[in-house]
Amino acid sequence: MLALVLAWMPGMSRADEAPAAPKGPAKVVVIPVKGEISKPQLFILRRGLKEAIDNGVQTIVLDMHTRGGSGDVTFEMLKALEKFPGKTVTYVNEEAMSAGALISAGTDVIYFAPGAVIGAAAPVSGDGTEINETMRAKLVSYLKARVRAMTQGKGYRGEVISAMIDLKSELKIGDEVIKEKDGDLLSLTAQEAMKEYGDPPVPLLGAGIADNLDALLDRVHGQGHWSVTRLEVTWSEKVAQYITSITPILMAIGLVLLFIEFKTPGLSVFGIAGGVILAAVFLGQSVAGLSGHEPLLFFALGVALVLVEIFFFPGS
């Protein structure tokens, strides 16, 4: 009867509702969030969430190990997580810095590996440099508003993440100052995130420390009451992640080759190579969705080679 009343109470979030007890072990999918937060990682998350929803999975665990990345992609990932009807968990496996901290804040609960760290989520420019004061103020204000919206009813999480975003934010609970105003951006170890404050005592940020994913799932669902599937990253997603990681190098090489081409009369191998490399830079992130379409890819490659033969090497 209580669950029925709670389901109809206005203002309750998805995480507050009492879900129906699953028949048999709870289904869990672990989705890796590793390396730079970029479009390939968004494709991986979306694929994992879709498969989880299609298979009636109750819990998603983000296996988090990232130093950050694109803000735009971060918000797309948060939107995707909001659509999952079950429980969302972050396992900070080593580090969840910058964009990783924001994504963690958007899940229902956050667990930590014993040596994990989280924090330092201030906005920076695309190349990692500082941005001007006016733009920084606008971005910080926006980020803090987004954080407040997605952390309502989650203890100290909103204030903690705000202190990770804004140098000027003070984090004070009772008489204890955790981050001074105009101090360094807040970053926390697993033990610091689990320190309790207030009356009654509540952990600052984390739901627990777990040695590994199995121990975490024992905490969430009970020992032996879960079955887990770990999402495997496809070849195309790995290629897209690799291209993204070396984009500045590829961009420099492509521009140099095109410069040589402009200084050389006629179409040469330098122009073709430069064009191919720059195409890889601008289209490389979209490679992540190509897994499973290998026959079409080989057909397209064959057509491309035939066209190259006809237009660039006739009679060879």
Side-chain angles (χ1 to χ4, degrees):
M1 184 64 181
L2 178 59
L4 180 62
V5 173
L6 289 175
W8 284 94
M9 286 179 64
M12 291 195 65
S13 68
R14 168 174 53 78
D16 296 325
E17 296 173 3
K23 295 180 180 179
K27 295 181 180 180
V28 180
V29 168
V30 176
I31 302 176
V33 181
K34 299 187 176 183
E36 182 181 354
I37 300 299
S38 56
K39 284 186 178 180
Q41 185 60 62
L42 173 61
F43 295 147
I44 293 170
L45 177 65
R46 284 175 172 170
R47 179 170 65 85
L49 291 171
K50 182 180 184 302
E51 292 180 9
I53 293 171
D54 290 344
N55 292 303
V57 168
Q58 285 83 36
T59 303
I60 287 292
V61 179
L62 303 184
D63 186 5
M64 180 77 68
H65 183 183
T66 180
R67 295 182 179 179
S70 167
D72 291 341
V73 173
T74 297
F75 292 126
E76 289 298 315
M77 292 176 69
L78 287 168
K79 289 178 182 178
L81 286 168
E82 289 175 358
K83 297 176 182 178
F84 181 67
K87 188 179 187 69
T88 55
V89 180
T90 294
Y91 181 55
V92 181
N93 193 348
E94 292 194 38
E95 56 189 355
M97 307 307 292
S98 192
L102 294 176
I103 295 168
S104 301
T107 58
D108 295 329
V109 291
I110 305 172
Y111 281 82
F112 294 86
V117 293
I118 186 173
V124 294
S125 64
D127 58 3
T129 59
E130 295 293 322
I131 54 181
N132 70 68
E133 192 64 28
T134 301
M135 182 58 68
R136 172 183 293 279
K138 290 180 179 180
L139 288 173
V140 166
S141 177
Y142 171 73
L143 287 174
K144 290 171 71 174
R146 288 294 300 265
V147 167
R148 289 195 301 272
M150 69 184 183
T151 59
Q152 291 181 3
K154 295 181 179 178
Y156 301 119
R157 191 180 300 188
E159 299 108 297
V160 171
I161 301 299
S162 291
M164 294 178 178
I165 294 170
D166 187 5
L167 283 167
K168 297 180 179 180
S169 286
E170 180 186 59
L171 179 57
K172 182 178 181 181
I173 302 175
D175 295 328
E176 185 166 353
V177 177
I178 301 167
K179 177 196 173 298
E180 295 182 352
K181 188 174 183 180
D182 294 318
D184 293 336
L185 291 171
L186 181 66
S187 292
L188 299 171
T189 66
Q191 291 71 26
E192 290 168 342
M194 287 304 301
K195 187 175 179 181
E196 295 184 340
Y197 295 87
D199 186 18
V202 176
L204 184 63
L205 184 63
I209 297 175
D211 290 336
N212 50 51
L213 283 165
D214 289 352
L216 183 157
L217 294 175
D218 284 342
R219 295 275 299 273
V220 173
H221 290 295
Q223 189 170 5
H225 294 163
W226 49 268
S227 63
V228 64
T229 300
R230 288 172 170 80
L231 186 74
E232 297 294 333
V233 179
T234 66
W235 67 266
S236 62
E237 291 162 346
K238 290 178 181 178
V239 169
Q241 287 180 315
Y242 180 71
I243 291 175
T244 300
S245 69
I246 61 171
T247 288
I249 298 174
L250 292 178
M251 181 73 77
I253 294 173
L255 291 175
V256 168
L257 290 174
L258 288 181
F259 177 77
I260 296 173
E261 173 67 22
F262 292 145
K263 294 294 184 179
T264 306
L267 183 64
S268 69
V269 67
F270 296 107
I272 296 173
V276 169
I277 290 174
L278 291 181
V281 169
F282 292 111
L283 302 176
Q285 295 186 351
S286 300
V287 173
L290 295 180
S291 181
H293 301 284
E294 287 83 357
L296 181 60
L297 289 176
F298 282 113
F299 175 77
L301 177 61
V303 172
L305 292 174
V306 170
L307 292 176
V308 169
E309 172 74 17
I310 293 173
F311 290 105
F312 298 110
F313 304 102
S316 63

